[in-house]
Amino acid sequence: MTTLIKNAVIITMDDEKPVIKGDIGITDDIIAFVGKSKDFTPERTINANGNIVMPGLVNSHTHSPMTLLRCYADDLNLQDWLFNKIMPVEDTFTQEDIYWGSLLGCWEMISGGITAFADMYFLNKKTAQAAVESGMRANICRALQCFDETTANFEKDERMREALELYNMYNGAGEGRITVEMSAHAVYTNTPEYLMFVAQTTDRLGAGMHVHISETRRENEECIKKYGMTPTALFKSCGFFNTRTNAAHCVYLSDEDINIFKEYKISIANNPTSNLKLASGIAPTGRYIREGINVALGTDGAASNNNLNMFEEIHLAALLQKGVNENPEEVTAYEALKMASTNGAKALGIEKCGILKKGCRADLIIIDTDKPHLTPYYNPVSAVAYSAQAADVDSVMVAGKFLMEKREVKTLDTEKIKHYAKKKGGAINAACGC
Ligand code: NI
């Protein structure tokens, strides 16, 4: 199939030529050209009508089934929120809940221009199934947690068994759109002995790693008190970081931690909304970028955000750093968009993605600029970073196929998803007496 998207303002995210006015040709799932071409014969032509076309957004850290816990527990710190409110309800989640919660997440993400996401949760063969059905790209991992120090039990560990089953069943599924990674949830939900076992298993598989690191000051202080080192140093001492690693949050990295991130080329998934809402703090991403670390952007779960809207994250990623550093040049509009696209693709290990140029993957979005808040605009990069809203996304393409066209999601039965989510929300409400 050959597709021509004509008459577009194209944000390529290619540093050599970030903005081009013209057309994009797509052959199957690959971009054939960007700009103008005389010898491209399209089977279908889409008129972008002067709207903005840019790479699809990459949500580099989320827990998609947590859409079912949206606005369930708010105005609490991470420890109270997670251990006293969220985990008790999560313990009751069935495979069906995970499936529909993941579909709800995919629906919300596609509607807001997200083409790929990194998802950490449990029972997530169902998330993988949902992602395959949605047509999105996804990196999926079973969050491993263990408070047992008996190494003899590790091989029989139920969570690890689930992680390996997920890997064997879904790594490379959905025509290669699904990647299964390994995951240690965090240092405060694991023992060093178990972390070593996780690192060895990850190296044996050659799988990517997705972790939470230094999300709160308390996490750091307790880790240093208990082990005499930071979470990053503890992970390293347990044998982590030999494979591609995506570390969420990183609000409190020490100078030594930053050196480890540089040495091992660890990516950071910045989650500004979640860090603000749980009062965890503000990650110094401007510094991380200057240090040469690959900084991506994520929403975290919908229970701590409370949506999966990358436009809000882009907005905050740029604005927070300017305000905190009293420097308007800190995290520019272009850098914020890069975090949400190119850097995200890199964090997830998706090659030739997050950039619109010949030979790259045809993962892109069309943003409708015929809106009051986008009228007029001068610089399309600024318009997306500072003015655009998620609902302005008109169409979404992954691997050359439209998942949403003219606001209509084509891959999902949205009525069924809505029905299940409302029913489940009602059941949770009844059970907790909220
Ligand atoms: Ni998280």
Side-chain angles (χ1 to χ4, degrees):
M1 168 70 105
T2 47
T3 307
L4 180 73
I5 301 175
K6 66 172 193 181
N7 189 22
V9 174
I10 305 157
I11 302 176
T12 64
M13 297 315 295
D14 181 357
D15 293 349
E16 280 174 25
K17 215 167 184 196
V19 178
I20 295 173
K21 280 188 182 171
D23 309 336
I24 302 180
I26 297 147
T27 304
D28 299 325
D29 56 345
I30 301 292
I31 294 170
F33 76 90
V34 175
K36 287 279 168 219
S37 174
K38 281 182 219 137
D39 13 282
F40 187 78
T41 321
E43 287 162 86
R44 69 176 164 178
T45 301
I46 304 284
N47 191 346
N49 289 318
N51 286 323
I52 293 174
V53 176
M54 70 170 286
L57 305 177
V58 179
N59 185 356
S60 63
H61 179 67
T62 192
H63 315 277
S64 59
M66 291 183 96
T67 46
L68 295 176
L69 294 172
R70 196 192 310 272
C71 304
Y72 170 70
D74 302 301
D75 308 330
L76 297 166
N77 69 46
L78 178 95
Q79 258 45 8
D80 276 351
W81 172 82
L82 184 64
F83 291 108
N84 301 330
K85 296 292 288 187
I86 296 296
M87 281 181 167
V89 188
E90 283 183 333
D91 285 345
T92 69
F93 274 2
T94 63
Q95 296 203 24
E96 214 187 354
D97 295 336
I98 302 294
Y99 174 66
W100 289 101
S102 301
L103 284 175
L104 178 59
C106 290
W107 173 20
E108 186 181 356
M109 287 192 274
I110 293 170
S111 306
I114 297 168
T115 50
F117 64 105
D119 204 278
M120 182 201 286
Y121 216 56
F122 56 92
L123 297 178
N124 36 11
K125 274 190 278 184
K126 289 293 167 188
T127 301
Q129 188 189 337
V132 169
E133 288 173 17
S134 75
M136 297 178 77
R137 292 189 200 278
N139 284 24
I140 298 170
C141 60
R142 204 302 176 197
L144 295 166
Q145 303 174 18
C146 182
F147 299 97
D148 183 355
E149 289 175 16
T150 326
T151 46
N153 293 342
F154 292 168
E155 294 290 346
K156 292 178 281 183
D157 179 63
E158 185 56 29
R159 294 184 181 95
M160 178 59 90
R161 193 192 56 73
E162 210 190 297
L164 295 175
E165 212 174 274
L166 175 72
Y167 186 85
N168 291 331
M169 268 184 81
Y170 278 100
N171 191 38
E175 294 93 40
R177 288 182 286 105
I178 308 298
T179 299
V180 176
E181 300 176 325
M182 294 297 281
S183 166
H185 173 266
V187 291
Y188 60 90
T189 45
N190 281 290
T191 61
E193 291 78 9
Y194 188 73
L195 289 177
M196 281 180 218
F197 173 63
V198 172
Q200 284 160 12
T201 311
T202 305
D203 287 355
R204 179 169 57 77
L205 296 172
M209 170 57 65
H210 190 171
V211 284
H212 291 110
I213 291 185
S214 294
E215 180 171 357
T216 61
R217 201 184 290 279
R218 179 169 164 186
E219 173 188 335
N220 266 27
E221 284 169 356
E222 287 182 354
C223 187
I224 291 166
K225 200 169 152 198
K226 205 165 171 187
Y227 305 111
M229 55 184 121
T230 62
T232 300
L234 180 65
F235 273 126
K236 186 183 169 232
S237 76
C238 292
F240 273 63
F241 309 143
N242 295 321
T243 61
R244 177 183 50 76
T245 302
N246 177 16
H249 304 298
C250 303
V251 180
Y252 301 98
L253 294 187
S254 67
D255 290 349
E256 294 78 49
D257 293 342
I258 288 174
N259 285 335
I260 293 171
F261 270 67
K262 284 157 74 173
E263 187 186 342
Y264 288 88
K265 297 188 167 49
I266 303 165
S267 292
I268 291 174
N270 178 216
N271 303 269
T273 301
S274 173
N275 293 154
L276 287 174
K277 185 159 181 287
L278 293 166
S280 303
I282 296 168
T285 50
R287 177 181 176 194
Y288 297 158
I289 292 168
R290 273 196 302 283
E291 295 270 7
I293 297 170
N294 182 54
V295 183
L297 203 51
T299 58
D300 211 351
S304 64
N305 186 304
N306 291 359
N307 56 38
L308 307 178
N309 179 347
M310 284 289 284
F311 284 81
E312 289 181 356
E313 305 305 322
I314 292 167
H315 197 88
L316 278 178
L319 265 55
L320 277 174
Q321 290 303 296
K322 296 175 198 306
V324 165
N325 296 293
E326 296 178 47
N327 177 3
E329 291 174 14
E330 195 86 346
V331 183
T332 62
Y334 187 67
E335 280 173 327
L337 289 199
K338 208 164 183 180
M339 287 165 79
S341 54
T342 325
N343 296 2
K346 194 174 167 192
L348 270 61
I350 311 168
E351 287 170 3
K352 297 188 173 181
C353 195
I355 188 161
L356 298 183
K357 78 177 190 188
K358 187 182 172 184
C360 288
R361 296 176 198 268
D363 291 11
L364 53 84
I365 59 176
I366 303 175
I367 299 171
D368 182 0
T369 56
D370 188 22
K371 298 286 168 83
H373 54 274
L374 290 166
T375 306
Y377 74 84
Y378 302 94
N379 181 334
V381 173
S382 301
V384 174
Y386 300 134
S387 305
Q389 305 293 319
D392 300 335
V393 176
D394 175 82
S395 299
V396 174
M397 175 184 272
V398 173
K401 291 188 187 127
F402 278 110
L403 309 189
M404 181 169 83
E405 222 174 340
K406 306 255 170 251
R407 292 299 298 161
E408 187 199 337
V409 178
K410 303 177 85 88
T411 49
L412 302 171
D413 186 336
T414 55
E415 283 307 312
K416 265 191 175 169
I417 297 169
K418 210 168 17 182
H419 177 76
Y420 189 93
K422 283 184 176 171
K423 195 178 73 177
K424 181 69 193 176
I428 292 173
N429 249 339
C432 77
C434 330

